Amino acid sequence: MSAGAGSVRWRGAIDCKRWDNGYVYRHYGPWVWGSATSTVWCDLGANVIAGYYIVG
């Protein structure tokens, strides 16, 4: 995930859903500044169902 330029600290987060049992969980990327990229992913065997920007 990438955000616009600036001096805002933020992180990406995604909700993941497992294929085998339907369990939904959230993974977080690292905190970054401005237009840097916060990388986050689901485990093998799961799909991304929602994505978020968290400002902090």
Side-chain angles (χ1 to χ4, degrees), residues 1-2 10-18 23-30 37-54:
M1 303 178 104
S2 295
W10 67 278
R11 73 194 291 183
I14 54 174
D15 289 343
C16 305
K17 185 174 183 179
R18 289 181 49 155
Y23 180 72
V24 175
Y25 59 94
R26 183 166 291 167
H27 271 186
Y28 296 92
T37 299
S38 180
T39 302
V40 60
W41 59 87
C42 293
D43 298 329
L44 187 62
N47 285 347
V48 175
I49 58 173
Y52 310 93
Y53 292 102
I54 301 171

